[in-house]
Amino acid sequence: DVKVTQSSRYLVKRTGEKVFLECVQDMDHENMFWYRQDPGLGLRLIYFSYDVKMKEKGDIPEGYSVSREKKERFSLILESASTNQTSMYLCASGSWEQLNYGYTFGSGTRLTVV
Amino acid sequence: AQRVTQPEKLLSVFKGAPVELKCNYSYSGSPELFWYVQYSRQRLQLLLRHISRESIKGFTADLNKGETSFHLKKPFAQEEDSAMYYCALSAISGYSGGGADGLTFGKGTHLIIQP
């Protein structure tokens, strides 16, 4: 069973802090994604990566950056957290050969910026 | 750019009644379409995908390219179907070396099944 693990379930950070959200998958998937989920807005793609050290901007990359130094790990970085980044963050991964099967999501990290 | 529209934020039906969750898309290419479900306090999970033409938990969805729709249907709703449902589209492009561009999600429909 594919596992996508997000290191924190809940995080509370102060405005201006640098925040790291970590995601690890154990199925050797090439593709990894970061979404944020907000009521009434659904899921919006922040960044994605299709290979180690590769990254592409999604629909709402402003205020975020990412890092993929190893295939299994994809980190989302909030350089200077702001209150409008309070949200549920979901990580997902998928194999290129099996994109038709959809992606596997982590349990999410609920980030509150105060 | 692709877009997925789920016109209903909330849908409430009685147990045993038919359910239809609407999904429309816009995409110039040939899309891959999915329905994802999120039950209370659980992770988002794949419910079904159009390419497999399968029925999962009694749900089916047919891709109608003429109407650019991918509505999710179930003939008899059950209380355990109460959840958040998201329609999603995968647009696989070649510019990223064959990688995926990520799924585009609709805003979701909250389905409530009343006893």
Side-chain angles (χ1 to χ4, degrees):
Chain A
D1 206 20
V2 176
K3 283 217 171 73
V4 177
T5 304
Q6 295 182 232
S7 54
S8 303
R9 187 78 174 106
Y10 298 95
L11 275 179
V12 180
K13 296 292 181 181
R14 295 192 181 278
T15 300
E17 275 193 80
K18 189 168 186 175
V19 182
F20 293 85
L21 303 184
E22 305 289 346
C23 175
V24 177
Q25 51 96 2
D26 65 359
M27 278 301 288
D28 203 35
H29 284 169
E30 303 88 352
N31 304 298
M32 296 188 74
F33 309 86
W34 275 106
Y35 289 87
R36 62 178 283 177
Q37 183 181 29
D38 300 288
L41 295 178
L43 278 78
R44 294 177 291 167
L45 182 64
I46 305 171
Y47 266 97
F48 63 99
S49 169
Y50 55 89
D51 202 351
V52 176
K53 296 193 186 295
M54 305 304 288
K55 59 185 178 184
E56 296 284 350
K57 292 180 180 179
D59 300 318
I60 52 164
E62 296 78 18
Y64 303 95
S65 63
V66 290
S67 172
R68 190 147 181 222
E69 296 297 317
K70 294 184 177 181
K71 192 174 186 179
E72 66 270 19
R73 186 180 296 270
F74 192 36
S75 304
L76 180 70
I77 304 157
L78 287 67
E79 296 291 341
S80 178
S82 64
T83 54
N84 62 13
Q85 292 178 309
T86 291
S87 186
M88 173 68 89
Y89 289 87
L90 299 180
C91 176
S93 74
S95 161
W96 166 240
E97 288 81 13
Q98 295 189 326
L99 282 178
N100 290 343
Y101 290 83
Y103 302 152
T104 300
F105 282 82
S107 298
T109 296
R110 185 167 293 283
L111 173 67
T112 302
V113 182
V114 298
Chain B
Q2 58 269 23
R3 179 177 288 183
V4 176
T5 303
Q6 292 179 252
E8 303 135 331
K9 281 187 179 179
L10 175 67
L11 183 63
S12 179
V13 302
F14 286 102
K15 178 182 171 182
V19 173
E20 183 179 48
L21 287 85
K22 291 186 168 54
C23 173
N24 289 90
Y25 67 90
S26 64
Y27 179 54
S28 56
S30 185
E32 303 288 345
L33 284 154
F34 306 85
W35 277 99
Y36 280 79
V37 61
Q38 189 170 28
Y39 301 103
S40 179
R41 299 180 183 278
Q42 294 187 29
R43 67 179 65 197
L44 193 65
Q45 58 187 287
L46 180 66
L47 179 62
L48 55 79
R49 49 199 172 94
H50 93 268
I51 197 169
S52 62
R53 302 184 67 81
E54 59 202 342
S55 173
I56 304 291
K57 299 184 179 182
F59 285 97
T60 59
D62 290 319
L63 177 61
N64 185 324
K65 290 188 177 181
E67 295 182 358
T68 60
S69 68
F70 188 55
H71 302 327
L72 183 67
K73 299 177 184 178
K74 184 169 182 176
F76 307 103
Q78 298 171 290
E79 287 185 69
E80 54 264 34
D81 295 329
S82 293
M84 196 74 184
Y85 291 80
Y86 293 95
C87 182
L89 179 152
S90 176
I92 301 170
S93 79
Y95 88 91
S96 55
D101 294 351
L103 289 167
T104 298
F105 285 84
K107 294 184 178 181
T109 298
H110 188 186
L111 177 65
I112 297 174
I113 307 301
Q114 298 191 46

